[in-house]
Amino acid sequence: MPLTDAPLISPLAQIAHDVAIGEGCRIAPGVVIGPGTQLADGVKIEQEVRLGENNKIGVGTVIKTGTQIGNDNQIAEYGIVGGPPLVSGTSQPQGRLCIGNRNVIREFATIQIGTGVDGVTCIGNDNYIMPNVQIGHDSRVGNQTTLTNKTALCGHVTIEDQVVLGLGVAIHQRCRIGRLAMVGATAYVSRDVAPYVLVDGRSGRIVGLNKTGLRRRGYSQSVISELKSAYRVIFREDLNREEIIARLQNHSCEEVQEMLSFLATSSRGLEQARK
């Protein structure tokens, strides 16, 4: 039917009285929509979706079963939010997608739900997700991240807080990107990226600390100096994991200890520095 048709709203949906609903919207049974939310023309919301307060949903966006969205989010035109996982075989039960508060999700982004009954894809708060970004099943995105156009996260990827991923970055399954790391445009990442580092887009290798990001986030020069010292131990002295831990385990700097903990718990190994 054309978008000029009246909205089709199930009587079993729970919709706050002040929700603005555009022409041609389709709202299924079991949907809950909080006050102040605005649905543009042609939005489709499938069964059992929950939307919080003051969300703005753009033209033609589809929000699929298993999705829960918090408050004050902006989802631009033609996004697919909560699509089924891109995995072979469809017999396993599908999981959920949870999106926090104050996120901006731009045009044509696709975000998949988790796999299995307990599988969850999770996006935190205050993230900026640019057009054509793909967030795969069971991935976890923290807070205050920036995912630039055409970034692709395969399944089970973890992006920690304040990470920046450049244009067209591709992250392999089950990789972790540590807090306040920055990955340059078009990089292919197949190992874990330590917190606070800078990855070169062309080579995919670590080329130093993310000094600009650290300064913008208010880290002191003394902390940056401590991180530089730890960086040399981890990436420049050709030590194995046990030797690095032995060298740094008594370090007093909290951020250095965070890098060390990340290294100790890495299952894929760290992305290496460019020689």
Side-chain angles (χ1 to χ4, degrees):
M1 293 183 180
L3 294 182
T4 54
D5 283 356
L8 182 59
I9 303 172
S10 169
L12 300 179
Q14 301 178 44
I15 302 174
H17 68 89
D18 63 344
V19 171
I21 300 176
E23 294 181 338
C25 290
R26 300 291 184 263
I27 302 176
V31 170
V32 177
I33 304 179
T37 292
Q38 301 175 32
L39 307 180
D41 294 347
V43 170
K44 180 180 179 181
I45 304 179
E46 295 184 351
Q47 294 181 348
E48 309 302 328
V49 167
R50 300 180 66 90
L51 287 173
E53 301 179 3
N54 301 314
N55 293 290
K56 296 181 179 180
I57 312 300
V59 169
T61 291
V62 179
I63 304 177
K64 291 183 167 287
T65 299
T67 300
Q68 179 174 325
I69 298 175
N71 304 322
D72 302 299
N73 296 284
Q74 300 178 44
I75 302 176
E77 290 80 356
Y78 302 105
I80 306 296
V81 180
L86 294 176
V87 294
S88 59
T90 58
S91 59
Q92 63 178 322
Q94 295 183 356
R96 297 179 292 125
L97 166 64
C98 295
I99 297 176
N101 305 316
R102 300 177 302 279
N103 297 287
V104 175
I105 301 173
R106 295 296 302 270
E107 299 81 0
F108 300 101
T110 60
I111 307 172
Q112 299 162 19
I113 61 176
T115 53
V117 175
D118 300 322
V120 180
T121 302
C122 184
I123 296 174
N125 304 318
D126 303 296
N127 298 290
Y128 189 52
I129 299 170
M130 294 190 190
N132 297 106
V133 167
Q134 152 75 12
I135 298 178
H137 61 86
D138 303 284
S139 292
R140 294 183 175 269
V141 177
N143 306 305
Q144 301 177 0
T145 70
T146 299
L147 309 186
T148 309
N149 306 55
K150 299 183 179 180
T151 292
L153 313 183
C154 294
H156 301 274
V157 168
T158 298
I159 306 296
E160 296 186 358
D161 295 349
Q162 301 171 343
V163 165
V164 176
L165 302 180
L167 174 71
V169 168
I171 310 293
H172 192 279
Q173 291 180 344
R174 301 185 186 276
C175 284
R176 290 192 297 157
I177 311 297
R179 184 157 70 99
L180 236 174
M182 182 173 183
V183 181
T186 73
Y188 170 64
V189 177
S190 60
R191 299 185 188 182
D192 294 343
V193 173
Y196 308 114
V197 301
L198 179 65
V199 175
D200 171 60
R202 180 167 296 182
S203 67
R205 296 290 188 176
I206 292 170
V207 292
L209 289 177
N210 181 16
K211 297 176 187 176
T212 300
L214 286 162
R215 294 190 185 104
R216 287 176 177 172
R217 294 287 179 177
Y219 287 81
S220 67
Q221 187 57 50
S222 62
V223 168
I224 295 174
S225 295
E226 296 288 357
L227 285 170
K228 283 182 182 179
S229 176
Y231 177 92
R232 286 192 291 269
V233 173
I234 296 171
F235 295 106
R236 295 298 185 193
E237 296 191 12
D238 294 323
L239 304 176
N240 61 38
R241 186 185 307 207
E242 290 72 24
E243 291 169 330
I244 293 169
I245 292 172
R247 285 276 298 273
L248 297 177
Q249 63 184 351
N250 296 320
H251 205 291
S252 60
C253 177
E254 179 180 342
E255 289 76 14
V256 171
Q257 287 300 320
E258 183 178 353
M259 292 183 77
L260 197 62
S261 175
F262 189 96
L263 170 63
T265 57
S266 172
S267 60
R268 295 190 61 83
L270 293 188
E271 199 69 60
Q272 298 300 299
R274 188 171 64 189
K275 302 300 183 182

